[in-house]
Structures are given as C-alpha cells and as structure tokens.
Amino acid sequence: MSVTINNQHGNVDIATEVIATVVGASTTEIFGVVGMTSKSAVKDNVRNILRQENYSKGVVVTTSDNEISIDVYVVISYGVKISEVAKNIQERVRFNLENQLGITAARVNVYVQNVKVVED
C-alpha cells in the first residue's frame, strides 16, 4: 500500500512502510517512551534475527478515502504522566509527518500496552 501526493510536477507515491518508519522514529524520541510493542510478531522477529533496525514496529498505518490514520502501540516508563506522553507522541508524529513527508494524519491513536519500571 502507498499514499499518493499529487502536485504540479506529478505524483509522489510514499509506501506505508516509510510512513511507519517516520512515526516509529518520532515516537521513540519522546521522553517517557521505553519501547514499542509488536503488532506483527512474525515479521518483527524475522527482522530481529536478521539484525535489521525496525522503527516501524508497533505502528499501524491505515489509509482510506485520502485520509491516513496512525495507531501507535507503546510501552511507557513508570512514573510519567501517561496523558502528557501520549499528547507529546501525537504532536511529534503530526509535526514530523507534515515536515518530512508532506502528509497530514487525520488521527494519531496512542495505545499504551505496558508500563515498565526503568532503573536510573
């Protein structure tokens, strides 16, 4: 699947894997995010075996009727305010998608799958 952007010079097709990678990299920059949870265990485990970086882990990109919806599945550090971390993820993802790819996401849904105690 891909997203097509039309401009005066022609069309640009952006694969959803590229969008997921930008979203994953943006999410891991946020303070309080410990990790991403896998939504496709087989695919992610193969990448781990091959020692490939996988920034798209825990990101689901859905396109319909020229709208993009993003689902982000994360693990949050114990002791942080979850609502603030989720808000920061949404803002950073929207900002980076618009600046890096020229795409506006209709929705950025954050799913907190676990809380992890992190030692100092």
Side-chain angles (χ1 to χ4, degrees), residues 17-109:
E17 185 70 23
V18 173
I19 297 169
T21 300
V22 170
V23 170
S26 302
T27 301
T28 56
E29 294 175 351
I30 303 296
F31 175 78
V33 174
V34 176
M36 310 287 285
T37 58
S38 179
K39 298 312 297 174
S40 176
V42 174
K43 182 176 152 187
D44 291 335
N45 286 336
V46 169
R47 286 188 173 184
N48 285 340
I49 291 170
L50 297 175
R51 298 184 187 269
Q52 294 178 338
E53 291 200 25
N54 185 10
Y55 286 111
S56 63
K57 177 180 175 183
V59 179
V60 177
V61 179
T62 308
T63 59
S64 63
D65 299 331
N66 295 329
E67 281 191 353
I68 299 171
S69 295
I70 309 288
D71 295 333
V72 182
Y73 296 86
V74 295
V75 178
I76 301 290
S77 175
Y78 174 78
V80 298
K81 190 172 183 178
I82 292 175
S83 61
E84 284 297 317
V85 173
K87 179 182 162 197
N88 290 340
I89 291 170
Q90 292 170 323
E91 289 175 353
R92 179 75 56 93
V93 166
R94 286 182 190 274
F95 178 80
N96 284 346
L97 284 177
E98 289 178 12
N99 279 344
Q100 294 179 17
L101 303 176
I103 294 173
T104 302
R107 286 173 291 286
V108 178
N109 303 312

